[in-house]
Amino acid sequence: QAGEAVPPAQRSSWASFLKSIASVSGDLSSMTCPPFILSPVSLTEFPAYWCEHPELFSAIADQTTEEQRTLAVVKWFISTLKGQYTSRNESMGSEKKPLNPVLGELFYGKWPDLNGRGETQLLVEQVSHHPPITAYAIENKSKGVKLIGHNAQKTSFSGGSIIVKQIGHATLTVQLPSGGVAEYLITLPRLRIDGLWYGAPYIELSESSWIISKHYVCSVEYKGKGYFSGKTHSFKATLNPAPGLGGSLGSHVIEGTWHTTSKFTSGPKSGLEFHNVTGPKEEVTAIGGQTSGEMGDFETRQLWKLVAKGIREGDFDMASREKSKIENDQRQRRKDELAAGTKWPLKHFVHVDSDPTYEQLGKLGKISPSTEDMYVFKENWPPA
Ligand code: HCR
């Protein structure tokens, strides 16, 4: 039944929200939603999902051949999808609308060194507000593995679902014992948000994404219920040596469901398990980014503290009052900058119009668009 999962008092505002998304497409982030669908977590915290399995991230550095390293990158990538796309359903009952970060919002975190895997650090900065763009750097310095990326979303409405095209990409680099660096270009899947009619949104992934290095081209195709395996959250990863590199590099096909397990279905390891995320995950520890170790006013959990408290405790008047204070402060800052002819300075990233790694590796997978902008990490954190 329509609105079944919506608290009765919020059904009419949910219906108006659905009507408005059908007509306003592009950016959902600033739309007003009924309280039941609000999440107390800002989008700047989402890049932490890339490292819910820090041991898989660090294991990339422990591989000795290109083939093993590529398989380790694909295994880490597939293992991040459960957190990225289903964790709000698990923790909050359905997909929710995250807090819309302000320009310059920051989030710092880490995963500790356990069992010799080394510490992994996370840094996130909101580098644009309109449209919302989030840049991140995740690094395990002792292992020499680093992920730099940014993401934005373009939304549209089709057949009762919200379609989210992810814009942006990530590059994973690994320092090799030989002194060289292996680079992997990672592109992002398309999302379909279903279940809106009932007020219980959830995500299914569609189309494909790529992981490309100069040795391997891996496409990951996503399908939901009723396609290749008939199961929700299905994927099929096909790894082939880059053009001209056949020889000693093997091809592999891996199939399964990204929120549970998968196995090799073709190639030398056929029949063996590939990934398994049915066990526990490891949440990031948020840390203060200031030299004193404290959180500054622009750090996510400090900035949104009272709004998040209001949402968690059901005090939506407080949440909305505190949110308006943040928004008014932002409006004033933009006005002042305009009057002074200045621009908000990014703290950790520099925007550039094109990314040579994306262009060169992207050609191997024939990905589109053929060029994308990027946010170069200034490598200025943590302070020495
Ligand atoms: C689309 C989405 C905001 C963006 C979120 C992204 C794409 C952000 C980057 C992460 O790496 C992966 C990721 C996961 C989320 O699933 C995705 C969010 C899901 C919903 C949210 C919309 C802006 C909110 C729509 C409101 C609905 C729930 C009614």
Side-chain angles (χ1 to χ4, degrees), residues 67 71 215-217 237-242 245-254 264-270:
E67 189 166 349
L71 285 169
H215 293 95
Y216 267 98
V217 177
T238 309
L239 284 83
N240 282 314
L245 287 185
S248 59
L249 302 177
S251 293
H252 302 270
V253 178
I254 297 147
F264 289 91
T265 54
S266 168
K269 294 176 181 252
S270 193

Side-chain angles (χ1 to χ4, degrees), residues 14 17-18 21 28-29 33 37 43 46-47 49-50 83-86 88 95-98 136 151-153 155 162 164 166 188 191 193 196 201 203:
W14 181 241
F17 171 72
L18 292 184
I21 43 176
L28 277 187
S29 55
C33 282
I37 206 75
L43 212 46
F46 281 43
Y49 292 126
W50 285 114
Q84 308 255 25
Y85 304 111
T86 66
R88 277 81 51 199
E95 188 56 77
K96 301 274 172 183
K97 184 171 182 290
Y136 50 89
N151 63 263
Q153 299 84 40
T155 52
I162 298 173
V164 182
Q166 294 206 66
L188 309 162
L191 277 58
I193 308 181
L196 294 168
I203 285 173

Side-chain angles (χ1 to χ4, degrees), residues 60-357:
I60 296 169
D62 301 333
Q63 312 304 316
T64 49
T65 66
E66 268 312 324
E67 189 166 349
Q68 286 168 358
R69 204 164 18 249
T70 305
L71 285 169
V73 173
V74 177
K75 181 171 171 174
W76 155 76
F77 172 81
I78 298 292
S79 303
T80 71
L81 301 176
K82 179 181 178 185
Q84 308 255 25
Y85 304 111
T86 66
S87 54
R88 277 81 51 199
N89 293 70
E90 282 179 12
S91 61
M92 299 185 241
S94 80
E95 188 56 77
K96 301 274 172 183
K97 184 171 182 290
L99 297 169
N100 184 21
V102 304
L103 179 61
E105 187 172 324
L106 298 159
F107 182 57
Y108 301 96
K110 67 173 185 191
W111 294 266
D113 175 12
L114 287 178
N115 307 320
R117 70 182 185 196
E119 181 181 278
T120 304
Q121 292 157 341
L122 164 77
L123 171 164
V124 186
E125 180 169 3
Q126 188 68 15
V127 291
S128 168
H129 182 64
H130 278 308
I133 307 176
T134 311
Y136 50 89
I138 300 176
E139 186 167 12
N140 182 325
K141 283 208 163 91
S142 62
K143 294 278 185 171
V145 188
K146 181 160 69 176
L147 180 78
I148 309 283
H150 70 279
N151 63 263
Q153 299 84 40
K154 209 171 191 158
T155 52
S156 54
F157 195 72
S158 167
S161 306
I162 298 173
I163 309 296
V164 182
K165 181 176 186 290
Q166 294 206 66
I167 298 171
H169 61 275
T171 306
L172 181 102
T173 52
V174 189
Q175 300 288 336
L176 303 177
S178 62
V181 177
E183 282 185 310
Y184 301 83
L185 168 68
I186 297 169
T187 67
L188 309 162
R190 190 170 282 224
L191 277 58
R192 211 183 54 233
I193 308 181
D194 289 331
L196 294 168
W197 180 250
Y198 302 101
Y202 63 92
I203 285 173
E204 187 52 275
L205 300 181
S206 66
E207 308 207 350
S208 44
S209 70
W210 297 87
I211 299 175
I212 307 175
S213 69
K214 54 179 200 211
H215 293 95
Y216 267 98
V217 177
C218 170
S219 67
V220 187
E221 280 176 81
Y222 305 92
K223 296 275 189 298
K225 213 175 166 73
Y227 291 89
F228 20 78
S229 74
K231 293 187 185 143
T232 50
H233 306 336
S234 296
F235 78 95
K236 178 176 179 182
T238 309
L239 284 83
N240 282 314
L245 287 185
S248 59
L249 302 177
S251 293
H252 302 270
V253 178
I254 297 147
E255 291 174 85
T257 52
W258 44 261
H259 64 308
T260 61
T261 60
S262 63
K263 59 181 188 188
F264 289 91
T265 54
S266 168
K269 294 176 181 252
S270 193
L272 296 181
E273 180 175 275
F274 179 65
H275 97 298
N276 184 340
V277 282
T278 54
K281 57 177 184 170
E282 215 178 303
E283 265 167 35
V284 69
T285 302
I287 53 175
Q290 301 203 318
T291 19
S292 62
E294 293 194 350
M295 280 190 194
D297 292 344
F298 264 60
E299 288 186 49
T300 303
R301 293 197 183 174
Q302 179 63 29
L303 179 80
W304 293 105
K305 197 159 87 187
L306 296 175
V307 177
K309 186 173 189 285
I311 295 174
R312 284 202 177 96
E313 294 174 0
D315 185 347
F316 297 108
D317 287 341
M318 169 165 97
S320 138
R321 216 171 35 244
E322 294 299 327
K323 185 165 161 279
S324 298
K325 280 191 201 162
I326 295 173
E327 287 166 349
N328 291 339
D329 174 65
Q330 285 292 306
R331 271 191 280 274
Q332 190 56 49
R333 282 174 192 271
R334 301 293 88 82
K335 265 192 205 155
D336 294 347
E337 284 161 10
L338 199 66
T342 55
K343 259 178 98 182
W344 177 267
L346 297 184
K347 200 171 163 123
H348 297 293
F349 294 91
V350 177
H351 181 241
V352 293
D353 286 333
S354 68
D355 177 355
T357 305

